[in-house]
Amino acid sequence: MYDSVSRQIVFTLTARCRDCYRCLRACPVKAIRMERGQAYVDEKRCIACGTCIRECPQKAKSFRHDIDIAQRLIDLGKTVAASIAPSFAAVLNEWQRARLASGIRALGFRYVGQTSHGAYQVSYHTLQILKKDGQRPYIGTACPAIVNYIEKYRPELVDHLIPIVSPMIAHARMLKEKLGKDTVVIFIGPCVAKKTELLRPANKGAVDCVLTFGELMLWLNQRGISLNNCEESSFDERPAHLAQLYPLPGGMIKTAGLDDDGFNPQLIRVDGMAGVKTLLDSLPGESSYTLIEPLFCNNGCINGPGIGTEKNLFERRMDILKYDRDTAEIHIVPELQDGVLFHGSYERQEGILREVSEEEIEQILEKTGKSDPQQQLNCGACGYDSCREKAIAVAQHMAEPEMCIPYMRRLAERRTDQIFNTTPNGVVILDKELKILSINPAFKKFFFCSDAVLGRHISYLMDPEPFEKLISGAVESLDIIRTHKHYNLMCRELLYILKQDQQIVGIFINITSQQENEKKLKEIKSQTIEQASELLNHQIKMAQTIAQFLGESTARGEELVKKLMSLTEGDET
């Protein structure tokens, strides 16, 4: 059923990601790859613990929802059994717990079992292994995030993993033994990492789908099923003796019947990845531990990323304890099964981390200005604990040099200084008393000064009146044109105040040549108009003279014609 969907469990909703590095800081294995400011989950490195989902303030991290897969499995018409993790008691109120089985059956499930039955078998068979070989520390395998971590990042400890499957797989195998091989088993619990567990080749065919409690509530809502309207009914399996405590640290040890008062040096319960890492760092050296029960989430499974409840941790813990006490009368001791059914195998996953040479590390440190150890601030702003770790991540293409905030600040300051020093416009910065704090090369050139004027009042160079307006609060900015006769200079001046710093910035744009060009242009225009006027007057005078000559010539011609006509008439007579 999972062949047609993405196998990646945890992923980024890129539209929401704001490159804050929060997920990277929180990720216990640094499985977050930064690329062009976006945070992506590297599937090969990810242990699917869900820490980034819980920590992301923008809700940009999510996990694969499998409600559609569960629905298709039900639609197949086969017997569908639910395996409900014992932490359900921490999710629901008492009246909701009494109606949960009815709500699940309304979704199409024919059998509603309790994963605590598998947990009981796991604790029992773990105890048998310890009795046979208690000379080395064994590590419990109930938590898939821990198993993923050891296989990928501490492969030398794989042999210390108890060769038994988790309660989820154990219960699923039990259900298929009981109800038939074709039975569809859907596990429902608080853990995102459980979704990776069913993909293990060794677990193939046990669990068909994994949902979180959050997904279950969403599914019920989508189907219009409200627990308010469901009748009270019991699970098809009664709670297993003590195994209902499995979601809490020490639950596995307690279920096995071992001394669990917390002071037995051979039995270690540890929750939270920081504590787990510290403990595992002491292995496989000399150790008095016989059994280590690690849970990735702080306070155990009641704090899983898929728990889907707003109740606080202490309320959840009390609800688990109360449910176990309240159901003590109906507890059963499950019939012990053949240990072969619960055998589990785990493998080293080598090559997850590429080795990086010292030369590569040094080159990257040098590129970001950290070749000097004193420049290696180890501030952690990038998400890594040290500049060296960050350099290794860059070499492994998991991080970008630009993630270093001190480095980017230095670059920004360098660019600002470059702009300040190379701009053709003069720049001056004054304090609230109008004393000169800084000037750039262009300003020095305009006003024939040097750094010797630093600390002097601006009136030493020019009329301070525009600056006084700004510092008095009369105006917030000015855009004026002033002539500085002493310097043969005309400038457009953009003046504004930095209120937070109580400083005034003045930008001087030299428009002297522009004004001279405009003056020359005006002179040329004036001369052109004058010359055009003279030419026009000349042409008018010429036209008038020509007209006068034409008039005189016409009159003479007319007189001559009249004389000729009179002579002609005389001859005819």
Side-chain angles (χ1 to χ4, degrees):
M1 219 14 117
Y2 280 87
D3 294 339
S4 59
V5 298
S6 169
R7 291 170 61 90
Q8 184 156 355
I9 306 301
V10 181
F11 55 87
T12 298
L13 301 172
T14 54
R16 294 184 181 178
C17 183
R18 295 293 182 270
D19 65 335
C20 64
Y21 309 143
R22 177 76 170 267
C23 57
L24 180 54
R25 283 193 292 273
C27 181
V29 294
K30 304 304 179 191
I32 306 297
R33 174 172 52 85
M34 299 301 300
E35 185 176 331
R36 296 187 295 277
Q38 285 281 318
Y40 299 92
V41 179
D42 189 304
E43 184 181 3
K44 291 183 179 179
R45 291 189 174 208
C46 182
I47 59 174
C49 62
T51 301
C52 59
I53 299 171
R54 184 164 28 220
E55 292 292 330
C56 180
Q58 304 300 326
K59 306 300 180 185
K61 292 292 182 294
S62 184
F63 62 90
R64 191 189 67 211
H65 283 210
D66 295 325
I67 296 174
D68 57 335
I69 293 176
Q71 185 62 60
R72 292 204 300 270
L73 287 169
I74 287 177
D75 292 342
L76 292 176
K78 297 181 179 180
T79 299
V80 181
S83 175
I84 309 298
S87 48
F88 78 90
V91 178
L92 304 174
N93 298 322
E94 187 172 354
W95 69 268
Q96 291 174 318
R97 293 196 293 265
R99 303 180 184 191
L100 178 62
S102 293
I104 291 175
R105 291 188 182 101
L107 290 171
F109 289 82
R110 299 184 187 178
Y111 190 93
V112 183
Q114 300 208 42
T115 316
S116 59
H117 282 245
Y120 186 89
Q121 299 292 337
V122 167
S123 284
Y124 172 78
H125 291 287
T126 294
L127 183 61
Q128 304 313 305
I129 291 175
L130 295 180
K131 289 179 178 179
K132 292 180 181 178
D133 181 12
Q135 301 304 311
R136 58 172 170 171
Y138 274 107
I139 303 172
T141 56
C143 178
I146 295 294
V147 173
N148 291 340
Y149 172 73
I150 291 175
E151 287 185 329
K152 292 184 177 183
Y153 297 95
R154 300 301 299 270
E156 74 279 8
L157 298 178
V158 167
D159 290 341
H160 289 264
L161 293 171
I162 296 175
I164 295 179
V165 295
S166 71
M168 178 185 81
I169 300 299
H171 189 225
R173 290 178 178 175
M174 292 169 65
L175 288 175
K176 294 201 174 189
E177 283 284 315
K178 178 180 181 179
L179 303 176
K181 298 294 184 181
D182 291 336
T183 301
V184 171
V185 177
I186 297 178
F187 173 82
I188 302 172
C191 183
V192 171
K194 286 291 184 184
K195 291 177 181 283
T196 67
E197 195 175 348
L198 64 79
L199 297 175
R200 292 173 171 274
N203 296 337
K204 185 176 181 180
V207 178
D208 298 280
C209 182
V210 170
L211 300 178
T212 64
F213 287 125
E215 287 176 278
L216 173 62
M217 296 306 163
L218 179 60
W219 191 12
L220 289 169
N221 185 58
Q222 289 176 350
R223 292 283 301 276
I225 301 170
S226 172
L227 294 182
N228 291 328
N229 301 324
C230 293
E231 62 181 9
E232 294 187 5
S233 65
S234 300
F235 286 72
D236 291 302
E237 293 176 342
R238 287 192 290 168
H241 182 58
L242 296 178
Q244 294 296 134
L245 302 176
Y246 242 77
L248 302 177
M252 175 185 177
I253 294 174
K254 179 75 172 177
T255 306
L258 298 169
D259 176 14
D260 70 330
D261 63 359
F263 296 99
N264 188 332
Q266 293 183 313
L267 304 176
I268 296 294
R269 64 185 76 174
V270 57
D271 58 289
M273 197 56 187
V276 171
K277 281 185 174 181
T278 301
L279 178 61
L280 295 184
D281 285 341
S282 68
L283 303 176
E286 292 295 327
S287 173
S288 62
Y289 309 142
T290 299
L291 178 61
I292 299 169
E293 181 187 344
L295 294 175
F296 179 89
C297 296
N298 289 312
N299 296 283
C301 304
I302 60 172
N303 195 27
I307 193 73
T309 181
E310 297 299 322
K311 291 193 292 185
N312 66 51
L313 281 170
F314 300 102
E315 289 177 319
R316 299 174 204 172
R317 183 176 185 275
M318 286 301 298
D319 285 345
I320 291 289
L321 296 174
K322 187 175 185 300
Y323 180 77
D324 183 67
R325 288 196 302 268
D326 291 348
T327 57
E329 293 183 0
I330 62 170
H331 274 163
I332 65 166
V333 177
E335 181 180 347
L336 298 177
Q337 304 285 323
D338 185 354
V340 176
L341 187 64
F342 309 112
H343 177 74
S345 60
Y346 304 96
E347 300 178 355
R348 296 175 175 84
Q349 297 185 28
E350 309 283 359
I352 298 296
L353 302 177
R354 182 179 74 83
E355 294 295 328
V356 178
S357 67
E358 284 297 321
E359 183 180 359
E360 287 181 276
I361 297 173
E362 290 299 325
Q363 287 176 351
I364 293 169
L365 289 173
E366 183 176 357
K367 183 179 179 181
T368 53
K370 297 178 181 292
S371 54
D372 183 354
Q374 292 185 347
Q375 293 296 326
Q376 297 177 24
L377 304 180
N378 301 326
C379 64
C382 63
Y384 291 91
D385 294 334
S386 69
C387 296
R388 180 181 175 83
E389 283 186 28
K390 156 74 171 356
I392 293 173
V394 171
Q396 294 172 336
H397 305 292
M398 292 295 292
E400 299 174 313
E402 294 77 15
M403 291 166 56
C404 177
I405 293 178
Y407 168 64
M408 293 304 293
R409 181 178 179 179
R410 287 198 301 272
L411 283 183
E413 290 173 346
R414 193 179 306 162
R415 288 167 183 159
T416 301
D417 291 342
Q418 188 175 5
I419 292 171
F420 183 77
N421 291 325
T422 60
T423 178
N425 301 321
V427 181
V428 62
I429 301 176
L430 311 178
D431 64 14
K432 62 181 180 179
E433 296 177 354
L434 302 187
K435 292 182 180 179
I436 301 172
L437 295 176
S438 181
I439 54 178
N440 74 336
F443 185 90
K444 296 175 186 178
K445 183 178 179 181
F446 290 170
F447 294 94
F448 306 110
C449 61
S450 66
D451 287 337
V453 302
L454 298 179
R456 289 179 177 265
H457 196 276
I458 190 63
S459 60
Y460 180 78
L461 296 176
M462 64 187 72
D463 183 359
E465 189 265 341
F467 299 100
E468 290 172 346
K469 284 185 179 180
L470 288 170
I471 205 65
S472 68
V475 292
E476 292 186 357
S477 62
L478 289 171
D479 185 349
I480 59 176
I481 293 178
R482 279 203 293 176
T483 299
H484 301 272
K485 294 182 179 179
H486 294 298
Y487 308 101
N488 192 26
L489 182 69
M490 179 176 284
C491 290
R492 180 185 178 189
E493 300 177 13
L494 305 176
L495 314 176
Y496 58 93
I497 187 168
L498 301 174
K499 290 185 178 180
Q500 185 175 355
D501 299 319
Q502 283 295 290
Q503 294 178 355
I504 294 176
V505 178
I507 300 174
F508 294 75
I509 304 170
N510 187 355
I511 60 171
T512 305
S513 58
Q514 178 182 341
Q515 292 295 318
E516 291 177 352
N517 290 337
E518 289 181 359
K519 183 178 179 181
K520 289 179 180 179
L521 182 59
K522 287 180 180 179
E523 291 177 356
I524 292 172
K525 286 181 179 180
S526 179
Q527 291 175 0
T528 302
I529 292 171
E530 184 178 345
Q531 290 174 358
S533 180
E534 290 179 0
L535 178 60
L536 179 60
N537 290 334
H538 178 67
Q539 288 176 339
I540 291 172
K541 288 180 180 179
M542 284 185 64
Q544 290 174 344
T545 302
I546 292 171
Q548 183 181 352
F549 287 149
L550 286 174
E552 292 176 357
S553 176
T554 302
R556 289 178 182 177
E558 185 179 354
E559 185 179 351
L560 180 60
V561 170
K562 287 180 179 180
K563 288 180 179 182
L564 288 173
M565 288 179 66
S566 63
L567 290 174
T568 303
E569 290 175 355
D571 290 340
E572 290 178 354
T573 303

